[in-house]
Amino acid sequence: MEQRRARGERVLPMGFGEAGLPVHPLLRDELRAASGRNAYGPVAGLPELRAAAAGYWTRRGLRTDAEQVVVAPGSKALLFAMRMACGGDVILPRPSWVSYAAHDELLGSRVWHVDTPPGGGGVPDPERVARTLGLARAAGREIRQVIVTLPDNPTGTIARPEIVESLGRVARENNLTVVSDEIYREVAHPGQSVAFPALFAPERTVVTAGLSKSHALGGWRLGIARFPDSAHGRRLRAHVLGIASEVWSTAAVPVQRAAVLAYEEPQVLVEHVAASARLHARVAEAVAARWAAHGARVTAPQGGFYVYPDLDARRAHLSRKWSVTTGADLADLLLDRHGVVVLPGHVFGEAPEALRLRVATSLLYGTAPDQREAALAAEEPLTLPWIAAALRHLEEALDDVLGTAETE
Ligand SMILES: Cc1ncc(COP(=O)(O)O)c(C=O)c1O
């Protein structure tokens, strides 16, 4: 991307899952005010932050005590520590976020991918999960954990509650630990609701969340986990704290102070997060519509800032005109001819020949802070010149590469 930019060529950055929005001034003030706090903090996190995080979950119907919470520099660190603490093999939804499988590669354990059912983005098909456990046992392997993502990255969709409930039942029957990655919960699109797997398998579900997406604070590194109030939960939490103590010691204390404010949810911050969710919804829908108009099968986006078009219906055209037969070929073609950056489905666990792409929409809000502020404040963000230009760029690229749906 940078090379293309340096050559003066156009780039449409839709590869990276960054929230693309400014920091709220209240959080900045809080961080500045706490910058003198230079001593190490407790490994589990500041007590006031654990209490605020417990309040955040309790207000949403998931009763939580501060003792169940662990704070870390990002939820990714918590997800890795959880994999290490759980041990055994893991079931991941196909498709699923890149780092889950990478964690198992680092740990030397094995990933069992299970397709998501229709309406179940981010959750592996519960019936197939049960079957996969048998297959693993027959191969002499033990699966101990399943990861779900609600709302989902890469598909930008939210699994239906009945699917989440069945998954919870299968997990309970088979003593699986469920890790529910809910980093996108607060940016579910307006009118969408997100089930809590922790209500369906309460003694076995760990929830992870953080401020990277809801408050666009990826670089501040702040994640939280909620462990179940059960003997299993207490054992896992103690194990994760042991790993935390030897690896990261504590999340940055000034950042934790700002996070207390975020999780106490004063009205201005609630409105700020709601405005981000509206913006994500508007732009993701506009991007999805452009892929659909070019013959892609694409589920309407429901949360976060991703669209996941499937170009299988255009396979004959893509093969004939461009010799494109894999998702990676298609992503390369879009980059080479048009500077459109997207990720091929295979990095999310799909077969190489799947013509699926993850299209991140949040870097279209602009490059300069004032553009991003304007996008957040706009009644109709699609009319802002830089967003309209980005959508035109996408349309031109799709016209060239895919033609229209009738081209077949
Ligand atoms: C599904 C998912 N989980 C976790 C993370 C990591 O979040 P954090 O910044 O809290 O480590 C990301 C970030 O891209 C994500 O997409």
Side-chain angles (χ1 to χ4, degrees), residues 91 129 133 143-146 170-171 174-178 204:
I91 289 181
V129 166
L133 294 173
I143 295 173
R144 294 204 197 139
Q145 189 183 333
V146 56
V170 172
N174 293 282
N175 292 336
L176 288 178
T177 298
V178 181
R204 309 210 56 82

Side-chain angles (χ1 to χ4, degrees), residues 304-333:
F305 30 81
Y306 304 109
V307 173
Y308 198 65
D310 181 341
L311 276 306
D312 197 52
R314 311 306 321 283
R315 188 176 288 280
H317 168 80
L318 284 166
S319 160
R320 200 172 48 238
K321 182 154 186 202
W322 305 107
S323 302
V324 159
T325 58
T326 65
D329 290 345
L330 182 53
D332 285 348
L333 180 70

